[in-house]
Amino acid sequence: MEDIVFQVTANTLTEYLNFDPARKDDLDQLDALIRKSAPALKRHFHQGTPAGDAGMRMKMIGYGKFRYSIKSGKATDWPVIGLALQKNYISLYFSITVDGAPIVDLYKGRLGEKRSGRNNFSFVEFGDLKIDAIADLIAKSAEIFGDDPNNPVRYREG
């Protein structure tokens, strides 16, 4: 049997928040935490990027926005923080560094995450998360971006 790729087909912020009824409460709670912890990062719907352009193809909720280029010279707008539904997880992606290292590295193992990668982490249920640590990570990311809007550009282009 063939694996079916999980793909969010929403085309607006409202459709995205309502896309998966079973995880809507988890998504809404994390969205509220991000908006409270980083009110300066404007929330928007990120449509994903076309093949061949900079960035990831998946749709997500973005918080804050910056523009960066890839080696080909193509450029794209990208979220400072991205909230994405995955097949088995909900993931948060960050584009911020501290002393050149991904900011999530400073918090690994303290977030209640099920897994983490290069400047991202994933969880299954909002109740699994360590809210104080995540609020701090989000607020610190917004503060760094506010003080240095080129921080994520260096991370993405680096």
Side-chain angles (χ1 to χ4, degrees):
M1 187 187 313
E2 202 177 301
D3 278 341
I4 297 173
V5 175
F6 179 82
Q7 183 176 6
V8 176
T9 57
N11 290 307
T12 67
L13 183 59
T14 300
E15 287 177 12
Y16 197 94
L17 288 165
N18 294 312
F19 181 77
D20 185 349
R23 296 187 289 172
K24 180 175 175 23
D25 286 342
D26 295 311
L27 202 60
D28 285 344
Q29 289 179 78
L30 187 54
D31 173 63
L33 179 64
I34 294 168
R35 292 169 61 198
K36 180 181 178 186
S37 302
L41 297 180
K42 185 179 176 192
R43 181 176 72 164
H44 62 280
F45 178 68
H46 180 75
Q47 191 75 299
T49 57
D53 285 357
M56 291 188 279
R57 314 292 161 250
M58 72 178 150
K59 298 175 182 187
M60 66 178 77
I61 301 170
Y63 303 86
K65 193 183 290 188
F66 67 97
R67 190 159 186 83
Y68 78 100
S69 302
I70 57 175
K71 290 177 185 164
S72 70
K74 291 183 179 184
T76 193
D77 288 330
W78 192 253
V80 174
I81 299 173
L83 173 57
L85 286 167
Q86 311 279 311
K87 180 178 179 181
N88 298 310
Y89 301 100
I90 296 173
S91 300
L92 265 178
Y93 293 88
F94 292 79
S95 296
I96 298 293
T97 60
V98 175
D99 297 326
I103 194 168
V104 172
D105 287 354
L106 301 174
Y107 292 83
K108 279 186 183 175
R110 298 188 304 139
L111 302 169
E113 72 272 25
K114 293 295 179 195
R115 65 183 190 142
S116 60
R118 183 154 195 251
N119 230 4
N120 67 75
F121 71 91
S122 301
F123 65 96
V124 176
E125 295 180 2
F126 184 81
D128 296 336
L129 299 175
K130 307 296 184 205
I131 303 307
D132 290 343
I134 291 174
D136 187 64
L137 167 60
I138 293 164
K140 184 69 173 169
S141 296
E143 177 186 332
I144 290 169
F145 180 68
D147 290 345
D148 179 9
N150 286 319
N151 179 292
V153 174
R154 289 190 302 274
Y155 173 67
R156 290 288 170 198
E157 291 180 350

